[in-house]
Amino acid sequence: MWTDKQRGIRVSQQELLCKNACGYYGNPAWQGFCSKCWRERARLAGAPRQDTRPSNDGTPLTFSKFEEKKSTEKSRRINTMRRLFWGSPSPPKPQESSESFTNVLKAFQSLEPGDFTGFLKILRSPSSQRLQSRCTAFLNTMEAYHDLPIQKQSDLVQDFYQSFAEYFSSFPEAQVTQIMEHVEKLIMTRLHKWVFCHDSCDDEQKDLALQRRIRSLNWVTPQMLSVPFPDKKTAVTSDPYLPAITAIIEMDAKRAPQDKLTCVSKCSQHVFEALSTSNSEPANADDFLSGLIYVVLKANPPRLHSNMQYVIRFGLPHSLMAGESGYYFTNLSCAVAFIEKLDGQALNLSPEEFEGYMLRQRGPSVGDQRLKVASDTQHLLEELKGRQEKLDQGVDTLNVQLQKWVQAVTSQLDEATTQFALVQKEITAQAEHSQVFSSSAHNASLQGDDKDQSVLLLTDQNVGPKDTDC
């Protein structure tokens, strides 16, 4: 039964990979191929039209000549790009570099992951003046030729990435990826206003069509998509998918493709978090895709098609072909493709029911909606009542504790006052006793002196006459 409910949304891992079996993630925008295979396929498909003409000697071009011509054109385009970037058809070699080249490499190697400010400081340092001047020259050239077709501008930016990466060919792949993410942010933040939703493509019309399509499907419920939702006993007060909706809406405010992909990754992670709180079982790929479809339908992100095409055209290839960001972006592309082709079978509806919903002739049961709202409101009131009771109990407990504390402090203060009075009395008594004792001793000393003087006088009187008679 679970499989039947999700039969219209089921996507296997193999279906997310490139049709060319290269191991990278494909994308519906590239007809199921990865960016690398799609570009090669587009070049091969476009080249034969140029080779239908006869050669200079009147004989048609053979396949080997066609391959040679295609390789020559590709090399000429890359050399032109390198000449624009490096000032020569080839990048500078490390062995031909001066001491400043070594210092630049050491500075970039010590760069912390995600430290875009530190990257700018290194790029603006005197030892990196050559790199900075190449970036500035490329940006000025792109702005001067911003009227070129959008695919041509995409090729130029991708060639610029490739040329810049060759400068750090001696670095580990992880460090090159980190540096190139900073380069992408630097370049595309500046070029965003020129290449986003370009006049040479129909992105704006497709944005409006996709928004109208999503708006017409606002009647779709999570139950129709088999999206796991919290039950009434464990339900939270708000939609658990709200953080994911917020993250996907924020994507339009970012300029760099890497920042837009970060929003997609945050949205996807919030979807997994919502699924984990809504379902006791671990979330699988089908649950994730159905949850992501629900988030896109609820959010109706602004300029979603243009943002996705912007990432596809000007993002770093490795960000879309592999890794977590590539997986999430591929699922987002699948979600948009699913919404564009959504029918009644995918929602377990008959064609008549689906048409009725689309024509606004019917909608989800009003009675069921009212019962659900009433039940949710009742649950919320009970939860608030419980919180209020806990709060009142906490206040009462705090008041009792406060009163006990006041009584204890008062008792200790009274006891300290009493002890202080007793000590003060004892000190006063000892002082008085000492004073009396010192007075008595003084008087006794005075009386002793008087007696001595009297004895001396008497002795003198007795001795004196006898000596005279003699």
Side-chain angles (χ1 to χ4, degrees):
M1 181 178 64
W2 184 256
T3 304
D4 293 338
K5 288 183 178 181
Q6 294 191 341
R7 64 178 183 273
I9 311 179
R10 180 172 294 277
V11 176
S12 65
Q13 181 70 16
Q14 292 297 326
E15 292 175 327
L16 297 178
L17 298 178
C18 176
K19 289 182 178 180
N20 208 24
C22 63
Y24 295 113
Y25 288 117
N27 196 289
W30 298 319
Q31 299 180 7
F33 295 94
C34 67
S35 63
K36 181 179 179 181
C37 296
W38 171 253
R39 292 181 186 278
E40 292 296 330
R41 182 182 176 87
R43 289 170 182 172
L44 290 175
R49 291 193 295 267
Q50 301 174 355
D51 296 333
T52 55
R53 300 171 297 177
S55 60
N56 294 334
D57 56 359
T59 59
L61 290 174
T62 62
F63 182 76
S64 59
K65 291 184 178 181
F66 152 68
E67 287 292 331
E68 181 180 355
K69 179 179 179 181
K70 182 176 72 67
S71 177
T72 302
E73 291 178 352
K74 180 179 179 181
S75 299
R76 182 168 59 251
R77 183 165 62 87
I78 293 177
N79 289 338
T80 301
M81 190 64 204
R82 288 176 174 176
R83 188 177 293 106
L84 171 65
F85 182 68
W86 303 113
S88 63
S90 60
K93 303 298 181 181
Q95 59 269 21
E96 299 174 357
S97 317
S98 61
E99 184 180 354
S100 61
F101 179 83
T102 305
N103 295 335
V104 171
L105 293 184
K106 290 182 179 179
F108 279 110
Q109 282 181 331
S110 62
L111 190 64
E112 295 293 333
D115 187 8
F116 182 66
T117 304
F119 169 79
L120 293 179
K121 290 181 179 179
I122 297 175
L123 190 64
R124 292 170 182 171
S125 63
S127 57
S128 302
Q129 185 176 3
R130 182 179 178 83
L131 280 177
Q132 182 182 4
S133 62
R134 301 309 177 191
C135 292
T136 303
F138 175 75
L139 288 171
N140 293 337
T141 303
M142 289 294 295
E143 291 181 2
Y145 293 96
H146 65 272
D147 291 332
L148 289 174
I150 190 64
Q151 190 57 46
K152 180 65 176 177
Q153 297 191 58
S154 174
D155 292 339
L156 290 175
V157 171
Q158 295 297 332
D159 290 340
F160 177 83
Y161 292 157
Q162 183 179 357
S163 300
F164 201 100
E166 290 180 4
Y167 189 87
F168 305 97
S169 57
S170 61
F171 281 24
E173 184 178 356
Q175 287 187 340
V176 176
T177 299
Q178 171 190 330
I179 294 173
M180 292 310 300
E181 289 178 354
H182 294 318
V183 173
E184 178 208 81
K185 187 170 184 178
L186 172 65
I187 297 299
M188 296 315 303
T189 301
R190 175 88 171 267
L191 296 181
H192 178 270
K193 63 180 179 181
W194 300 111
V195 299
F196 184 82
C197 200
H198 198 264
D199 294 338
S200 63
C201 58
D202 57 351
D203 288 348
E204 185 175 358
Q205 289 76 14
K206 290 184 178 181
D207 281 331
L208 296 176
L210 181 59
Q211 284 188 341
R212 287 193 296 266
R213 174 66 174 174
I214 295 177
R215 196 178 300 115
S216 68
L217 295 170
N218 60 359
W219 49 268
V220 177
T221 63
Q223 292 74 21
M224 293 179 179
L225 294 170
S226 300
V227 178
F229 245 74
D231 55 27
K232 297 179 181 179
K233 295 181 180 180
T234 60
V236 293
T237 57
S238 61
D239 190 341
Y241 294 90
L242 184 59
I245 294 172
T246 303
I248 196 66
I249 291 177
E250 290 178 351
M251 180 173 62
D252 187 58
K254 307 299 182 181
R255 293 187 177 184
Q258 200 65 226
D259 293 339
K260 293 182 182 294
L261 280 176
T262 301
C263 293
V264 176
S265 298
K266 288 182 179 179
C267 170
S268 302
Q269 291 167 2
H270 287 311
V271 170
F272 274 112
E273 291 175 1
L275 292 173
S276 64
T277 59
S278 305
N279 196 356
S280 58
E281 299 178 357
N284 52 40
D286 297 330
D287 293 338
F288 169 64
L289 184 57
S290 62
L292 190 59
I293 293 171
Y294 170 75
V295 168
V296 173
L297 290 175
K298 277 291 187 180
N300 197 358
R303 302 190 292 184
L304 179 58
H305 175 81
S306 293
N307 281 293
M308 294 177 62
Q309 289 298 316
Y310 177 76
V311 173
I312 289 172
R313 291 166 182 155
F314 301 101
L316 293 172
H318 74 271
S319 300
L320 302 178
M321 294 165 55
E324 189 178 68
S325 59
Y327 175 77
Y328 291 150
F329 188 80
T330 300
N331 276 273
L332 177 61
S333 301
C334 292
V336 173
F338 177 86
I339 291 173
E340 292 175 341
K341 300 177 181 179
L342 184 63
D343 55 8
Q345 183 180 4
L347 300 176
N348 296 319
L349 300 174
S350 65
E352 293 77 15
E353 291 175 333
F354 182 79
E355 190 68 21
Y357 281 120
M358 294 298 293
L359 296 176
R360 297 295 189 272
Q361 295 176 355
R362 60 184 301 167
S365 175
V366 177
D368 293 343
Q369 289 182 349
R370 290 178 178 175
L371 289 176
K372 184 177 183 304
V373 171
S375 176
D376 293 342
T377 304
Q378 181 66 25
H379 176 74
L380 179 60
L381 290 175
E382 291 177 357
E383 184 178 357
L384 292 175
K385 182 179 179 181
R387 291 182 180 179
Q388 185 65 37
E389 291 177 354
K390 291 181 180 179
L391 181 62
D392 293 340
Q393 293 176 359
V395 171
D396 294 339
T397 303
L398 182 61
N399 286 331
V400 172
Q401 294 177 352
L402 183 61
Q403 291 176 1
K404 290 182 178 180
W405 179 78
V406 171
Q407 292 176 358
V409 171
T410 303
S411 176
Q412 292 177 359
L413 182 61
D414 294 340
E415 183 179 355
T417 303
T418 303
Q419 293 179 355
F420 177 76
L422 293 175
V423 171
Q424 189 175 14
K425 288 181 179 180
E426 184 178 354
I427 293 173
T428 304
Q430 290 179 356
E432 292 177 352
H433 183 269
S434 299
Q435 186 177 4
V436 170
F437 177 78
S438 60
S439 299
S440 300
H442 181 67
N443 293 333
S445 175
L446 294 177
Q447 291 177 0
D449 294 340
D450 293 340
K451 288 182 179 180
D452 291 340
Q453 292 178 1
S454 301
V455 172
L456 291 174
L457 290 174
L458 291 175
T459 303
D460 292 339
Q461 290 177 0
N462 294 330
V463 173
K466 291 181 179 181
D467 292 340
T468 304
D469 293 338
C470 291

